Amino acid sequence: MRHFISVRDLTREDIDTVLDRAEAIHRHAYDPCALSGRILGLLFFEPSTRTRMSFESAIGRLGGGSIGVDSIEGSSMAKGESLADTVRVVSGYVDAIVLRHPKEGAARLASEFATVPVINAGDGAGQHPSQTMLDLYTIRQSMPLEKIHVGILGDLRYGRTTHSLVHALSLYDVTLSAIAPRTLELPQNTREELRERGVEVNSYEDVSEVIRDLDVLYVTRIQRERFPDAASYMNVAHSYRVTPELLTGVRKNLIILHPLPRAGEIDPRVDALPYAKYFEQARNGVPVRMALLLEVMR
Ligand code: NCD
């Protein structure tokens, strides 16, 4: 059984297989009945629009169905049921579980109790590996995943999409720059893990220092809900914003990505510029998650 918990568990070959399959799906080269009669369980204990809906769309397009809960309050966890019991029980109803949970490590724990594959759709400030697959897919639509310079801007401390993405990019021949306010820097242990893999990450506090050298700018929202108190959030709120003015003199081939939702860190005037790829990126969630479901559920 194949769980999908952390990018740390994946090889470059695993990733490329999913991306290649997603590309074929994009060209409509897939069997719309491939997962007919299969049911995907969606356990979303944190808000979600894109991740949940694109997984539902993905299973539907492959002929399967989905059932789920979308809050702790709406499930028996509100009565005190443990996550372990919940996934044990739900394993009897579905063929795979997609889990989003506010606690880091929740998906790993769930995979130890589930009797069907578990896909991590975000565990607190931990990982969000299916997002990374569509991030890489979107980069690959514009340029090869080698000899490029990727800048990751924003909340690198709590942003799970950035944690998964840097691990994945460390498997490719790319230059990585981390751009964040001091208190939101990439966690030390992540940096060390990357260093062990031979990858040094450049650090910047101000995106204008490096923007002209980038091929990819990956922007993220400050993860307000993960801050211990309002004051520490207020210290960094609105500390960066991508505007058309900031983008003067950038490389012609630059692409700007964002996992979305955005909360002010990209000026809407950027949407009309050729660099903006974030809505296309969100659309790519469907073929990429179809590829992933085929990998995990077949
Ligand atoms: C991200 C998440 O949930 O981590 N959203 C998503 O899945 N596209 C990013 C975020 O919430 O900032």
Side-chain angles (χ1 to χ4, degrees), residues 2-285:
R2 195 79 213 269
H3 299 293
F4 195 71
I5 306 297
S6 166
V7 172
R8 285 188 194 88
D9 306 333
L10 304 176
T11 63
R12 179 169 164 166
E13 206 186 353
D14 293 330
I15 296 176
D16 290 340
T17 304
V18 174
L19 301 187
D20 292 345
R21 180 172 270 163
E23 227 166 70
I25 290 170
H26 226 149
R27 294 193 308 269
H28 303 286
Y30 68 93
D31 170 8
C33 298
L35 296 180
S36 154
R38 317 299 297 284
I39 295 181
L40 186 63
L42 301 161
L43 294 180
F44 276 73
F45 299 121
E46 264 194 350
S48 174
T49 302
R50 277 150 288 273
T51 306
R52 182 182 170 128
M53 291 186 73
S54 60
F55 266 115
E56 287 198 64
S57 173
I59 185 79
R61 285 173 198 272
L62 291 167
S66 65
I67 55 175
V69 295
D70 41 26
S71 64
I72 290 189
E73 299 74 50
S75 75
S76 278
M77 284 176 69
K79 300 179 188 167
E81 185 169 54
S82 67
L83 179 62
D85 279 2
T86 301
V87 299
R88 267 194 197 114
V89 170
V90 172
S91 292
Y93 306 154
V94 301
D95 301 293
I97 292 173
V98 180
L99 173 70
R100 171 168 288 187
H101 195 282
K103 289 253 161 53
E104 195 170 334
R108 181 78 67 198
L109 181 113
S111 72
E112 285 160 16
F113 293 91
T115 53
V116 297
V118 173
I119 297 174
N120 181 7
D123 61 324
Q127 289 258 325
H128 192 351
S130 69
Q131 176 71 42
T132 294
M133 295 298 123
L134 68 99
D135 298 341
L136 297 177
Y137 183 83
T138 311
I139 297 175
R140 235 176 61 160
Q141 280 182 319
S142 296
M143 60 191 86
L145 274 170
E146 56 185 355
K147 308 254 179 303
I148 56 172
H149 186 170
V150 181
I152 303 183
L153 167 65
D155 186 348
L156 312 186
R157 179 173 188 175
Y158 299 116
R160 55 196 175 198
T161 64
T162 68
H163 301 158
S164 292
L165 183 61
V166 293
H167 273 104
L169 288 173
S170 74
L171 300 171
Y172 296 84
D173 178 19
V174 304
T175 304
L176 267 177
S177 289
I179 312 144
R182 263 269 167 78
T183 53
L184 299 182
E185 279 177 357
L186 204 58
Q188 202 48 41
N189 61 336
T190 304
R191 253 173 214 285
E192 269 153 31
E193 278 177 77
L194 297 181
R195 195 167 294 141
E196 278 162 25
R197 292 181 176 200
V199 178
E200 266 314 319
V201 183
N202 312 309
S203 293
Y204 298 91
E205 268 185 71
D206 184 348
V207 63
S208 66
E209 291 174 70
V210 66
I211 186 109
R212 284 172 200 83
D213 302 327
L214 298 178
D215 301 296
V216 178
L217 175 64
Y218 189 90
V219 188
T220 61
R221 160 182 85 85
I222 296 190
Q223 308 283 298
R224 183 178 195 157
E225 66 275 28
R226 312 252 181 257
F227 279 69
D229 52 70
S232 32
Y233 168 73
M234 287 317 290
N235 282 338
V236 285
H238 316 298
S239 52
Y240 55 92
R241 183 169 165 90
V242 178
T243 60
E245 293 71 34
L246 175 79
L247 296 169
T248 45
V250 295
R251 289 187 180 168
K252 259 217 184 70
N253 66 322
L254 173 74
I255 61 169
I256 301 174
L257 304 181
H258 192 307
L260 302 177
R262 62 176 155 181
E265 56 287 329
I266 299 183
D267 185 323
R269 289 178 301 152
V270 173
D271 301 356
L273 302 179
Y275 316 114
K277 297 287 184 206
Y278 27 90
F279 290 115
E280 208 168 310
Q281 179 187 4
R283 267 202 302 279
N284 288 337

